[in-house]
Amino acid sequence: MSLSIKLCIASVLLCLLGPIPASAADPTADAQAAAARWDKTYNSGDMDGLKALYATDAMVIPKGAAVSGADKIGAFFAGLKAKGFEEHAIKVNSAQMKGDVLLVTGRWSMSGPGEGGAKKTFEGNWVNVLEREGKDWRTVLHTWN
């Protein structure tokens, strides 16, 4: 077999393999690390640190009216913390990278005052959209039920 035929076959095989990324990023690991950072920051009561995890034009959509902007988002979560909502935990179920955007779904849980003031566990579904900012991720949309 001639060298040109061998090179042609090798080229075809390389094309069939497709592009090989320089590094294999793991969006689920990135998402869980961001979620763990959020949990740690909220649970410690560091609301300035918490609002720094959001883009300046971010939106949080709780039950009721949406909250826009990092400062208002920080105040919203400070209000929850002041009411006794604590022990927040997020478990990422899926993460999908779309360029510099990370789409994340999972489950959340936290404890807080229930009926009659007794401590109760709350939980539900959680969705976050994060945007890469340098080496960090900033939340641009955060909602749950």
Side-chain angles (χ1 to χ4, degrees), residues 2 12 21-22 24 28 33 54 64-65 78 96 99 119 123 126 135 144:
S2 74
V12 168
T28 302
Y54 289 85
Q96 189 175 50
K119 193 172 188 178
E123 61 184 352
W126 167 85
K135 291 185 179 185
W144 62 92

Side-chain angles (χ1 to χ4, degrees), residues 44-126:
S44 72
D46 179 6
M47 294 304 133
D48 286 334
L50 189 75
K51 69 182 183 181
L53 299 177
Y54 289 85
T56 56
D57 60 347
M59 184 179 297
V60 168
I61 306 174
K63 184 176 181 180
V67 180
S68 297
D71 288 336
K72 289 180 182 176
I73 290 168
F76 171 81
F77 285 113
L80 284 181
K81 188 78 169 161
K83 290 176 185 171
F85 290 94
E86 54 192 13
E87 300 170 358
H88 195 278
I90 299 167
K91 166 73 172 88
V92 170
N93 290 335
S94 70
Q96 189 175 50
M97 196 81 78
K98 298 281 188 182
D100 282 342
V101 174
L102 186 57
L103 308 172
V104 188
T105 65
R107 299 282 298 166
W108 66 273
S109 66
M110 71 186 321
S111 63
E115 195 172 312
K119 193 172 188 178
K120 178 181 174 181
T121 299
F122 298 87
E123 61 184 352
N125 296 307
W126 167 85

